[in-house]
Amino acid sequence: PSLDKLVNLASSINSSFIVRKKDDSSSWRGLEYGKPRLSQRRSLSPNKTGQGGGGGTNDGLLQHMQMKSSPPPENSASSSLYDNPSDVKNREPRVTVRRQRQQRRKTMQDIPSIRQTVTSLGAQDDGMDELMDRNAMRYLPKILRDVYAQRERRRDSLLGNARLASIDLRLRLQRPDHLPHYQDIRGSILILDLSGFTALGERLRSELGSGDGAAEFANRVNSTLSMMVKQVHRYWGDVLMFAGDALICLFEEKCDEDDVRDESTGELLISVEDKTKKRVKECCLSVLGKLASDQEFSIHGGAAHGMIRCFFLGTLSKKPGSCAFVVSGHPLKQTGNLLNKAGQGEVYFDGEELPITENEGILFLAEIASNDIDEDEGVTAAKNHVSPRDSVLLSDAETSVDAVGGFGVNAYARAFLGTLAARRLDQGSQNAMSMLLNELRPVAIVFVGLHDLDDIDPRDSSLLQLMNEAFKILSRITHSCNGAVRDMLFDDKGCVFISVFGAHSHEVNPCFDATVSAMRMENALKGLNLNRFSLGVSFGECFCGEVGPEVRSDYVVMGPEVNMAARLMSKAPNRGTLVSKRIFSRSNDFIHFEKSEKIQVKGKDGFFHAYIPRTRIDHQNVEIAATQQPFVLMPSRQAAMNSLVNVKDQAASGEPAIAFVSGGPFLGKSRLIDEVAAEAASDGFTVLKSFRTSLDSFTSFFPLRQIVAAAMIKVASTLRGEDFDSEVEAADYLVQENVFKKTDRVNIGSIVPQVADAQLLSLLSGMNPNARTKSIVDSMMKILKLLNPLIIILEGDGDIDPSSWSLLAEIMQRAKEECPTIMIIVSSRNSPTITSAASNLRRNAVQVKLTPFEKNETEQYLRFLLRIEDTEVGIDQRLIDVVHDRANGCPLFIESVARWAHEKNLIEFVEGSKKMTLKMLDERSDDVTDAIPRELSNILLAPFNHLSPPLWDALKIASCIGYSFDSDLYRALNQELELIPKIEELSEKYGCFEHTGTHFRWKQQAVYEAVKSLLMVNQRQIIHRMIVDAFRANDIDPNDLVLKGGDVHRLLGRHCALAEDWAAAFEQYIKAGDRAKAAFNFNEASKMYEEAIDYQAKMTEPLTLRSRMIPTINLGACFRELARYREAEAVLTRCLNEAETNSAAIALDDELYVRALTAMAALHQARSNYDDARQLYEKAVPIARNIHESGSSLWLAGNIAGYAETLRKSGDLPQAELHHREALEIRTRAVEEKSCTELELAVSYTQLGCTLAGMRRHNEAYQQHHRALGLRYRYLDFSHGLVSESMNYCAESLCALGKGVEGIPLALHAVEIRKTIFGTTHPAYAHALSILASCYQSVGRSFDARDCLEKCLEICEVAFQRNHANIIPNLMNYGNVLRSTGDLKKARTVYQRAIAIHQLNFKEGQQASRLEKCRAEVDNLADKILQLESPSVPVGDSMNDLSDDLMKVQLHSLAPADVESDGTPVIVFTDIGRDVDDEMALVLLSALRRKHLLDPKAVIATLSPVSDRANLARGSLDVLGMADVPVGIGGSGGAVKDLEVYKAVHSRPSESIEDCGITLACNVLKKANSKSVQILCLASLSDLAVLIKDHEELFISKVKEVVVMGGLLPIDSHDKLVPDTAYNNNCDMEAARFVYESCQELCVPTVTLSRWTAYGCPMRPELLDELARTEHMVATNIRKKSKESIDQLWKKVVLPPDDPGREKLPSRCDAKWFYKTFIGKELPAELPTSVWNDVEKLNMYDPLAVLMCVSSYRSTHFRCTEKVVNEVSHLVVGVCEQENGIRNRKALFDEYSALFLYAMQASLYEPKININYNSNFVDEVTSKRSALVNRAA
């Protein structure tokens, strides 16, 4: 029939089931509740546009048949999802059923052709439609049963075929024919939430035990939910889903002709909506009443009415879980709000203010009982109750249901079954071993909030399609990760997808599976471009099982962890995932996590951390895997075992040892090593293990990558006491705990790329390979020595790269001193090829070589495998021969052959001969050995014979990829081939692979080799081409992939090469080389470029000159960086020759020619061949200028600057200056044009500054270096290497300008920065030491300078080639220093070596001035030595002459003071190191010295241990710009034992420290003017007392005032000043009394600053934070030690008054005093262990005493109380708590804050940047600091 006829027919039929039949006999209470009903819903009717019930239109039917996902017409009743329910209450009654029936009869009788068509359609449907199992129907809501209703073929004879076909067609038209699809209905949504099951479960388990308690719990839960379900169905409701512990129910509007009245008003209810609401309310009352008496459970709920939108999602299928039925709309949203509002035992209804309660429910049940209503009948006959009726299926009035036949559910509805319910159904309720029984079990739950879909309008077809795609993808991911789809629904959280893991199997790791699933879901949703979504994952014990009666049940998962997952989802960041602590703790071995910020969720007290999954762990397991068979020691293995055990014993005794184990494949190397390692582990050894393949020989340090990563994790986990998730987190922690420095992170990053700091990678540039090796081993030893005793096992079938051999050699060389109990085992198939740099390893290694078993050993192993223990039982020789022949003496193959033969029943025991022999297959067999395959691969692959072809393909592809691989790198093969899922299946089901995270490895190498052997060459080529095509087709950028175990470009290049796509291989290897070169991994980069060059020769298409030269130039540059100068020269020479030969081509590519020239020039410069370099640059630079006429070309500037550097190093300084200024000008214009950053300028400033310094224009040089320093301060971290470079050059220039004192702070910071970043073996560190030595020498501290230079030269001898020109300046400085110390002969030898090196590196005329200076020094020293050795000259006179200059420099600070220009001379006594205020006083002292207010003449350290305090004082003064202030050692300060001295990086011993502080003070006083010196005492008065006793007259004549930080008894109560119990007094009270008495008697004025003054102007901790931001080493140390000091003081004050641990602390200083002084609060009842976070104020005693030394500050900020004794005025500041002596607290705080900051920044020489171009950079913090500094200055 034509489509038009079919449409007309269907249209006529359609109108017949739109309306409801008004027939009292079909009341809803007469239906059986366990069977589906096929009511005709108005909203589910196919004719949404039909008016009335008379007849539908063709358009309406077409709309239905096409199942469009578009919205209904605007005039449709369901045009809006969010219709106000009150707008659609009353409707016009439908037309009568009779009219429809008449029209239908006419259609069927009058149109025979259509009737025949329908008959044929019905007949066709008979063979197509399949019914769903009736047992499965209970898992579906009634609405789905109705939609998928299908007539059962039972009574076809009672009705005509046309009539049956009509019914079938109408049934079929109800269900969607494609997805997604939506339809609208009207009704009420009811949510009933059950509470109390958690407490019940815990109580039952504690009372009945775990098993019985769980069973009873399941019974109670099921009973309660079943009751609730029955009540819903009693009132004609539908349970849409069991949402955990809640029921989501639908009460659809029903036509009902019964009269129903409102109970409160008695009015007749006409509206269908009102009747439906009444049914809902009565259902709720019934449930509330039944649960009112339940002591365990309670419910709360909400209900709302309106338009409900139904979504059908998924893919048309019969597979459970492939579809979802989801409802949404205004009623659902409103119900969620009401649910949140309801309390326990309450149900709220939309539009009603008060809820219904349990009491009302009890009354309702009582009323039902009084009316004698049978509840089991499922109906109420009460007059006032609603009695809705369903229509009479699809039959006519005169056609009974029996006549039509029974109705079932179409099998396609099975797709809407939940995964768990379907599995439960398949297993059957009678299966006692079912894993899906009702039980409490640990389950992981994933909640996915699809917030973009929360307010979905299906009229937007793209959104509807997106919703469908999201469901399909999330379902697919869930199933692939061993999970089950639980629900997809709309609730108060919006659109939510829920999956569970572990509910159906005990054999999986649900936490890992759930986390991986969530990670994949997150990536998939990002791929769908969803903007708003979040995921939550939780794990814990939940109730799992089937609940509900037969009418409606489901398999549910409920528990608090379900709620936790939902709450984590709501707290998760947008487009992110949060998992619980339990998930983290059970998955962190396989997945990298990041700790979230603290969160708080409902149901959990307090704040807690959740975790964010990041990536799968890529390193292999380092633990020793158990072997499949116990180890059997054969005779040929006895010697090997003994050798390795001896090596282990040697290591255990403290002698580092190394062994090489070699042997062919499958000979048992790994088994032997594992046996030794297991024995060592039992002896306490740490075992670290790695594996490599032949592919990994390209990757530098690869064999040590897993070793170092595992070592970091092990050490960090041990230190923290908690396992780490990844090597990155471990490295961060090790840096935090000062196990690693920043340079260690750079070094370790060379081995483990994941931990590398990208910002610091450039520091590896230019580093000598030997120095780099030593530096890396420095870092490795810091963790390896913590794991002693240690075994490192390097297994694999590939070569070890040269870089790793160098590291191993260095480790073994240093292990004796640093890591003595270490053993290294290297296994390989062949004897390892060791580089010459590591030749000592071969000499010292124990060689162990394994060979195949002899035949007798084969027999022994067979006896073990066949479990022959009886010595009288033997093995037939034929069996031994055939096994030995097939296995070739390999233990693994012997085992495989024997197992194969045994499984085939080819081996039997012959009782007569008592032998195990081969079984005769039949009587005609001549030789049964032929039954055993000669090809071993047949035996090895026999277990895989039944694999499906797709799985075999996956095995073959995996064999082409390699022995081990990372699945993330090959995810491109998933879309077309689904490779990784198949690999996972092969791993899980067939044991082909073992994996950790995403890293897979063949479980048996023999199987890998066997599979690979099956492939012919052309097949392998096809597979590799397919892999390459997959990457191209999916447009995957290798740079976007996480690099794990190798560069993706290198791997892809290998596949291209094996696919014989030489051009693509060339391209990929070039990219791999560029990546390695950018990471400064020049070893690997050079190998990649060599591979690329090799593939050039195989390319058939001619290459351009650029393509040929680029890899060659890059290879030469790598060789240069590796100091492989000869190879670099050969490569670059060949490149230049080719360029000159192809002059025509090179003329078209001048830039390429310039690159080749400058690469060779840089090589010559590195080899100090400056003339050759200069010639090449002179060719290159003009061409470069012609290419880039632009005045801002950075490429041109780089070439000009390179030329200028060559000129500078060759001695042509004027030309160097000219070209550097040109490069600077180009870069300046580039900055103005914003084509480069200002940091580019810093390079030019530095290079120009070095050139000017060489020309002795030191002032100009300083200006350039100062500009560079300013820019680098601005843009770089303080600890950056380039900052330290500028500090060095500034210090050098200041030294040359005679300002060495000012240069020392910069030089000291540069030394510390370079030590931290570069390590102690890098030339950069040596250079910083050299400059520091120059600064020390300039202030007369020659011995300090000597120590620095000796360290410097020691580094240079290793870092540079022998006799390198860079050593000459250091030798000259060293000679000068040695001369100053009096070691003349050594000084002459040093200068002579400098001359020899100069002559080796420079031609005549180059650097001539330097050479002449060296020669003059040699001649001068020869004369001096001759004078010393001459008997006519007294030795004493000669020595005096030699040291005159030194003494003048050292004593220049003791010259008479110029008070007006230099400030008041002051001598300071300090107990620095006890607390930070002494060092803060020195900071303030440096600021006042720069302001010429005070002139410190000496600092004397007192209080035992005095030497350590003197070292700290010396370092502090140096780094604060007071290196010329002498330091002396004082007395013990009254201490009877050593007191603590805090540590500082700047604390250092120095030969410039005076042994006797009193002598130093006397020398200062002797040189001073009369009554000019102030003595500032910040410590015990012991040393001052000695000075007064022993040198009273000197004290009286030269001291004008004594300033004491201490305290006095009330001055009004005594005639004289009497010291109180202040700490400084209390240290030596006798000395304190003596000093005060002497000063009063000798008429020397005193100024005493008491603790009350310090209390009056405390310092807030924020000031220390601000100072620390300068990153001055004193500031950062003070910030750190302040916290430590506060905590130490707190520990003392809480001790009893007589406890010796209080030391000299006065008894008044107790916990109450501490809280009042430092926190400003009352003492709490419970004392904390640490108080730093509570501290509000810090008392700076000593800095205020320093300010008191300056009269202007004294008068401005302090109020002094005068006490006149012997007509001399003595001042006291802070006589009591009420009179603290502070004039203006804020002004004083601002004053000394500015001075502190000024001191820090001035000593670092932070410049004011004045540059000739506009800069938009503004640093607010710097601006604020500058304001303070400017005010202080």
Side-chain angles (χ1 to χ4, degrees), residues 734-781:
L734 292 175
V735 171
Q736 175 186 331
E737 293 298 310
N738 292 322
V739 176
F740 277 167
K741 302 291 186 184
K742 284 188 177 181
T743 182
D744 297 315
R745 181 137 194 182
V746 176
N747 292 331
I748 295 298
S750 300
I751 303 175
V752 186
Q754 290 91 333
V755 306
D757 188 333
Q759 182 184 6
L760 303 179
L761 275 179
S762 61
L763 305 180
L764 300 174
S765 178
M767 195 174 187
N768 180 278
N770 292 335
R772 184 182 182 190
T773 297
K774 291 180 181 294
S775 184
I776 292 174
V777 174
D778 282 341
S779 302
M780 290 179 62
M781 281 299 180

Side-chain angles (χ1 to χ4, degrees), residues 691-697 702 795-799 963-964:
F691 187 88
R692 68 190 183 281
T693 68
S694 57
L695 298 178
D696 300 319
S697 60
F702 184 86
E795 280 193 285
D797 59 355
D799 291 333
Y963 181 64
S964 63

Side-chain angles (χ1 to χ4, degrees), residues 26 65 81 102 292 624 689 738 753 1157 1258 1407 1420 1480 1518 1571 1620 1639 1653 1692 1812:
S26 60
M65 291 182 66
L81 180 60
Q102 290 174 348
I624 300 174
K689 190 175 181 181
N738 292 322
L1157 290 172
H1258 297 296
Q1407 298 285 354
N1420 185 267
M1480 291 290 281
D1518 286 356
K1571 290 292 183 180
D1620 65 3
C1639 287
T1653 306
K1692 291 176 184 178
N1812 298 327

Side-chain angles (χ1 to χ4, degrees), residues 1685-1696:
S1685 297
I1686 285 291
D1687 287 339
Q1688 288 173 1
L1689 179 60
W1690 173 248
K1691 291 176 182 178
K1692 291 176 184 178
V1693 301
V1694 296
L1695 295 174

Side-chain angles (χ1 to χ4, degrees), residues 271-290:
S271 167
V272 176
E273 178 178 335
D274 290 339
K275 295 179 181 181
T276 303
K277 288 182 178 181
K278 185 171 179 61
R279 282 191 285 124
V280 176
K281 183 172 292 187
E282 289 180 345
C283 174
C284 295
L285 288 169
S286 177
V287 174
L288 286 168
K290 288 181 178 292

Side-chain angles (χ1 to χ4, degrees), residues 174 259 332 468 713 865 891 939 1256 1417 1640 1688 1713 1809:
Q174 290 186 98
D259 294 334
L332 197 69
N468 195 57
I713 292 173
L865 293 173
I939 295 176
R1256 299 289 187 270
E1417 290 291 341
Q1640 293 171 89
Q1688 288 173 1
W1713 163 85
I1809 311 297

Side-chain angles (χ1 to χ4, degrees), residues 68-99:
K68 291 184 179 180
S69 300
S70 56
E74 293 182 359
N75 60 351
S76 171
S78 58
S79 61
S80 173
L81 180 60
Y82 304 113
D83 283 342
N84 191 329
S86 61
D87 294 339
V88 199
K89 285 192 174 182
N90 300 307
R91 297 177 178 81
E92 293 294 327
R94 298 289 189 175
V95 296
T96 63
V97 176
R98 183 178 302 277
R99 179 179 174 185

Side-chain angles (χ1 to χ4, degrees), residues 245 898 1140 1217 1422 1502 1609 1754:
D245 52 356
E1140 292 170 356
E1217 179 192 2
T1502 180
L1609 293 177
R1754 183 185 300 176

